[in-house]
Amino acid sequence: ASTEEWEVVSALVMKKARGEPHYCETYADLVFKLKNDMPEFPAPDGGKPKSFKSTLLNVCQNEFESISQESLALTDEETLGKDKEELDFLLSKKKQRCLANMKFIGHL
């Protein structure tokens, strides 16, 4: 394993937790198990060693910081040619994704 692989695994766990919010607690349990079983790697700059936990925290922080009012709004491309029902569905999906992120982070 390497820190690059950890970033991929962390991103995949986040993606699954967003896609299946009813399993957020299960994915948080998986992360808890992985963080205890994964080795640490020395930092390339000689600083604090890199661990699965620190890598996951960076992924979670980046994902959380990407949530903004603009990310909840629909773009012109998304609204083009869609009726109100489709727009409501798209907006609902965006909100669900944001809530799933927060739910997953809360279970961590």
Side-chain angles (χ1 to χ4, degrees), residues 44-83:
D45 59 1
K48 230 174 135 179
K50 292 280 191 174
S51 66
F52 180 74
K53 181 180 175 183
S54 65
T55 304
L56 179 71
L57 287 173
N58 287 337
V59 169
C60 288
Q61 182 177 359
N62 292 339
E63 188 67 34
F64 186 77
E65 288 174 352
S66 71
I67 298 172
S68 67
Q69 199 62 23
E70 290 81 37
S71 68
L72 291 176
L74 296 174
T75 63
D76 291 339
E77 292 174 0
E78 291 173 318
T79 59
L80 190 63
K82 300 207 171 54
D83 63 15

Side-chain angles (χ1 to χ4, degrees), residues 4-108:
E4 292 82 21
E5 290 171 342
W6 286 348
E7 288 175 15
V8 170
V9 170
S10 298
L12 287 173
V13 170
M14 282 291 293
K15 183 178 178 181
K16 292 295 287 180
R18 279 192 317 259
E20 301 170 347
H22 48 283
Y23 290 120
C24 281
E25 192 171 353
T26 303
Y27 291 120
D29 291 342
L30 172 68
V31 166
F32 183 77
K33 177 75 173 136
L34 287 175
K35 80 174 177 128
N36 292 329
D37 293 346
M38 295 295 215
E40 290 187 344
F41 291 105
D45 59 1
K48 230 174 135 179
K50 292 280 191 174
S51 66
F52 180 74
K53 181 180 175 183
S54 65
T55 304
L56 179 71
L57 287 173
N58 287 337
V59 169
C60 288
Q61 182 177 359
N62 292 339
E63 188 67 34
F64 186 77
E65 288 174 352
S66 71
I67 298 172
S68 67
Q69 199 62 23
E70 290 81 37
S71 68
L72 291 176
L74 296 174
T75 63
D76 291 339
E77 292 174 0
E78 291 173 318
T79 59
L80 190 63
K82 300 207 171 54
D83 63 15
K84 178 163 175 26
E85 200 171 288
E86 290 174 311
L87 295 174
D88 288 344
F89 177 75
L90 288 174
L91 192 57
S92 171
K93 293 284 282 180
K94 285 187 172 207
K95 286 181 183 178
Q96 286 174 358
R97 178 183 168 153
C98 291
L99 290 173
N101 280 338
M102 289 183 239
K103 184 176 178 182
F104 177 65
I105 291 170
H107 281 291
L108 291 175

